Amino acid sequence: MESFELCKILKALRTERNLKQLDVAKAIHVVPAAISNYETGKNQPLYPVLIELADFYNVSTDYLLSRTKIRTSPKMLEQKLKTTGEPLDIDSIFSLTEEQKAYLSDTIRLLKNQEK
């Protein structure tokens, strides 16, 4: 993990929400200087703090660590994929053949067009 990327991402997430470092510090229970140090790359957050930051910003830790461009946190993804009280089984989707994935993609596109 390059701290340069992490610090840029943390600062971008905070500024997108028009928050001050103090706001973030209070929300995740750290001193304001810690947020400043994370955003400048002087220090890197420990694992528990990284999780707190991800939860606070509703992103995944993988997003914070530049392992993916997908911001959605697993918790949020699970909530958004609930159907009839049960979350969609993402692992089942991953195990589909390419042809089945294409069919699923086409079906989703058709359903979205029906909404319009």
Side-chain angles (χ1 to χ4, degrees):
M1 164 186 60
E2 280 197 35
S3 66
F4 179 67
E5 286 301 312
L6 176 61
C7 65
K8 283 184 3 183
I9 291 168
L10 289 173
K11 185 171 184 174
L13 288 168
R14 180 180 58 77
T15 55
E16 283 172 12
R17 289 162 178 79
N18 295 315
L19 297 170
K20 296 181 177 153
Q21 290 177 345
L22 180 62
D23 300 324
V24 178
K26 283 182 180 179
I28 67 164
H29 305 72
V30 297
V31 295
I35 302 301
S36 175
N37 289 339
Y38 302 151
E39 289 184 4
T40 60
K42 185 175 181 182
N43 291 329
Q44 292 185 7
L46 296 175
Y47 182 67
V49 176
L50 189 70
I51 292 171
E52 287 287 326
L53 286 162
D55 287 347
F56 177 73
Y57 288 121
N58 286 318
V59 298
S60 68
T61 52
D62 278 351
Y63 178 78
L64 291 178
L65 298 174
S66 300
R67 295 185 67 204
T68 182
K69 296 288 183 197
I70 301 170
R71 288 184 176 206
T72 306
S73 71
K75 232 186 289 186
M76 184 67 73
L77 185 61
E78 205 171 69
Q79 287 176 348
K80 287 185 180 227
L81 292 176
K82 280 194 177 181
T83 58
T84 63
E86 295 286 322
L88 236 73
D89 184 4
I90 293 293
D91 291 328
S92 293
I93 294 171
F94 292 143
S95 67
L96 296 175
T97 66
E98 290 303 313
E99 184 179 317
Q100 291 169 324
K101 287 177 188 176
Y103 178 78
L104 180 59
S105 180
D106 290 343
T107 303
I108 291 169
R109 208 172 298 113
L110 284 170
L111 288 170
K112 285 176 78 175
N113 287 334
Q114 282 181 351
E115 290 176 0
K116 295 176 183 177

